[in-house]
Amino acid sequence: MTIAERQTQPDPPERPEGPDARAWAWAVLATPIGPLLLAATDEGLAQVVFHAEEKTAAEAVARLTRRLGTEPTAVPPTAPGTSTAPSGTPRRAGHLAEAIRQLESYFAGDSKVFTLSLDWSLSTGFNRRVLRELAAHVPYGTVVGYQNLADRVGEPGAARAVGMAMGSNPLPVVVPCHRVVESGGGIGGFGGGLETKRILLALEGVLPQPLF
């Protein structure tokens, strides 16, 4: 198999219900970039979905049900004014509550680092390697070029494949694919839309805040 073939391998196939199925739960969080659907397993946050209005959220839940191999479970409600899951609830509820808390802090400008447990099962191979490098070594308020990121994972000929990996990112915002830009200074593409990317980069001080 060539490097190019390895770099463009699809993400894991849908999982049948069975011993490999993962219990999971989801919630929708209102944010300055629109509603985000958050899905968590007992291992950690597994997916973030942009523009999660009713139709998009329903489609995402159906897709995740197939991918994770089981129906989502109900999450006990949090206490008013908090984002903390009640004691004794499944770990997925705690991961979901913590993701909500940290994302709210991020969008409020109070937090610059995510310290969430992540479930990487919806990404694999080259894509996962690139995304893990991005999450670990491209901090708040900085950007990296597609070529530079390819160099960092030891695949200097894979700049285009890096772009594909960003498009497959199951954990946007938390794994900051918005910080990956074109080497020539262009903003590059973004699965959540270019306006969303501009808002996130402006929040982090990379771009000026819009006047209105």
Side-chain angles (χ1 to χ4, degrees), residues 20-72:
D20 292 333
R22 291 179 180 238
W24 64 288
W26 63 278
V28 174
L29 173 66
T31 78
I33 58 172
L36 298 177
L37 184 143
L38 312 176
T41 68
D42 288 340
E43 186 172 329
L45 186 68
Q47 185 152 53
V48 177
V49 178
F50 288 118
H51 313 305
E53 288 83 8
E54 185 175 356
K55 182 175 184 292
T56 299
E59 291 171 348
V61 169
R63 186 169 59 250
L64 279 163
T65 297
R66 295 191 299 269
R67 292 287 298 279
L68 296 174
T70 187
E71 295 284 342

Side-chain angles (χ1 to χ4, degrees), residues 119-198:
D119 180 340
W120 290 97
S121 63
L122 297 179
S123 184
T124 189
F126 176 81
N127 289 357
R128 186 188 293 187
R129 280 202 293 133
V130 172
L131 292 170
R132 291 180 77 104
E133 171 66 24
L134 173 65
H137 298 117
V138 183
Y140 185 103
T142 68
V143 294
V144 64
Y146 296 98
Q147 181 62 60
N148 185 278
L149 198 50
D151 292 342
R152 291 187 188 199
V153 296
E155 301 279 10
R160 180 170 294 182
V162 166
M164 296 176 66
M166 296 305 103
S168 76
N169 182 10
L171 292 161
V173 184
V174 174
V175 176
C177 50
H178 59 278
R179 297 178 192 157
V180 184
V181 298
E182 294 175 354
S183 301
I187 193 172
F190 193 58
L194 292 183
E195 184 58 27
T196 298
K197 187 170 188 174
R198 291 188 185 98

Side-chain angles (χ1 to χ4, degrees), residues 76 85-91 93-94:
S87 61
T89 57
R91 284 185 298 167

